[in-house]
Amino acid sequence: MECVENLPLGSFYELLDHSTKSLPLLKKLTVVHICATSWEVSIKGSTALSDHSLSKTSHPRCPFELSVDPEPLTDEDRVTVDLDDALRAVEAMAEVQVLDIHVSPEMSIGVHWADSLLALYKLQELTVTMSVEPDSAIGAHSLELLFKELTELPPFWKEFIAAEESMICTDLRHLRLVGLWNRPVGVAQRISQCLRVRRRVLGREVALEELTINLDYNIMPYEDFLDFKRAFEEAVGPLVGKLVFGMSYVDPEDW
C-alpha cells in the first residue's frame, strides 16, 4: 500500500506534478474516493471495482492513500488545498471507473469539473456528497457548474479537442447526488436540460441508467421534499432508466 499522510503543501504539489512517475499505481486505480473538508483533504484508491466505499480509515484493499492538512493561509480568506487540487491529482488516474466525492461547501468554491473529468474517459459512476449550510448557496452553485460542464465543455477546451469529443464522461451511467441543496428552485429543470442534451448527443435511449437524489432532511422539510420529488419525476424521470429519491442526514464527521 502506498500511503502518504500530512504532507507539507510543497510536497503535495510535487507529488501531483510527478504522480505517474513516482507512483505508477495511479494508472491502475479504478475506484477513487475524495474527501475534502476544512480539516483534511484525502484521496484513496483501489484497483478492485467492488470497493465502492473507501471512506474512513485505511481500507484493507486500498493500495493508495494521500492525505494533507489544508491549513488556512494567514493573509487570505481561503484554504491552501481544496477539491480542485484533489481533482487535479485524479487526472493521472485514467482507468478510474468509480469516483466518490465527499466535500464541504467551502472546499468546492471555484472547482473546475471539466478540467479533471475530461481525463476520466472511462468514468461510469460518479457520486457527489456535500454537506449543506442552511443559509449558503455554495452547494447549489457547485452543482450548477457540474451540470453545465456535463452538458457542454467550456469554450477553452473546444479549441484543443475533436468535435466528437466535446462532452465529458461519455461513459457515465450512474450519478448520485447527496446533500447539496438548501434552495432547490429550478434544479430539476437544469438537470433535465443537461440530460436531454447528453441523451441526444450520445445517441442513447436514456441519458443515465440510474440517477439517485438523496437530500439532507435537516435542511429540507418533508413537504418540500415531496414537491421536489414530484418535479423531478416529471422533468427528469423520462430521461433516465431509474430515478431514486431519498432523505438522509449528511454529517462530514462520518466521512
Side-chain angles (χ1 to χ4, degrees):
M1 174 179 177
E2 296 283 357
C3 183
V4 188
E5 295 185 340
N6 296 323
L7 285 170
L9 186 61
S11 299
F12 178 66
Y13 283 113
E14 183 177 351
L15 178 61
L16 297 188
D17 292 340
H18 304 287
S19 55
T20 56
K21 296 179 182 179
S22 60
L23 294 173
L25 175 65
L26 295 184
K27 295 182 178 180
K28 301 178 182 179
L29 297 178
T30 55
V31 180
V32 170
H33 171 87
I34 293 175
C35 182
T37 67
S38 58
W39 58 88
E40 181 187 36
V41 177
S42 66
I43 303 172
K44 298 179 182 180
S46 171
T47 56
L49 283 175
S50 59
D51 293 345
H52 281 220
S53 180
L54 300 176
S55 57
K56 289 293 183 181
T57 57
S58 298
H59 192 279
R61 289 181 294 182
C62 174
F64 173 81
E65 181 174 350
L66 168 66
S67 174
V68 297
D69 182 7
E71 288 292 337
L73 294 175
T74 57
D75 57 342
E76 296 183 57
D77 186 20
R78 67 176 180 85
V79 294
T80 58
V81 181
D82 58 13
L83 176 60
D84 213 38
D85 296 301
L87 285 172
R88 281 171 49 202
V90 176
E91 291 176 30
M93 308 172 190
E95 296 297 316
V96 171
Q97 297 180 41
V98 178
L99 179 59
D100 182 14
I101 299 172
H102 287 63
V103 59
S104 53
E106 71 277 6
M107 303 297 280
S108 70
I109 297 174
V111 63
H112 298 87
W113 295 103
D115 289 358
S116 299
L117 295 183
L118 183 62
L120 305 182
Y121 60 94
K122 293 186 178 182
L123 188 66
Q124 297 182 21
E125 299 184 26
L126 173 63
T127 300
V128 180
T129 300
M130 183 180 293
S131 56
V132 182
E133 300 296 334
D135 298 320
S136 173
I138 295 176
H141 179 66
S142 298
L143 184 72
E144 172 76 14
L145 289 177
L146 172 62
F147 278 97
K148 181 179 180 180
E149 296 184 358
L150 281 173
T151 305
E152 185 177 19
L153 276 174
F156 169 80
W157 282 109
K158 295 181 181 179
E159 301 177 10
F160 300 96
I161 64 175
E164 61 271 16
E165 298 175 347
S166 61
M167 182 169 283
I168 64 174
C169 304
T170 56
D171 278 350
L172 187 64
R173 307 292 182 180
H174 300 266
L175 179 61
R176 300 177 181 88
L177 305 171
V178 183
L180 292 164
W181 303 289
N182 59 347
R183 303 185 188 98
V185 177
V187 172
Q189 290 71 24
R190 181 68 188 92
I191 294 179
S192 172
Q193 178 186 4
C194 169
L195 296 181
R196 287 181 187 279
V197 172
R198 290 184 66 86
R199 183 179 65 172
R200 174 177 53 82
V201 173
L202 299 175
R204 297 175 183 161
E205 291 187 8
V206 292
L208 294 169
E209 292 180 9
E210 182 176 315
L211 173 63
T212 298
I213 308 291
N214 201 339
L215 303 177
D216 191 331
Y217 65 73
N218 278 339
I219 300 298
M220 181 176 292
Y222 187 67
E223 294 76 13
D224 293 346
F225 167 78
L226 292 178
D227 291 339
F228 191 41
K229 182 175 182 290
R230 281 190 288 269
F232 251 85
E233 289 172 341
E234 179 179 341
V236 179
L239 304 174
V240 298
K242 183 179 181 181
L243 180 61
V244 180
F245 258 84
M247 299 188 79
S248 63
Y249 175 54
V250 180
D251 185 359
E253 296 290 343
D254 294 333
W255 298 349

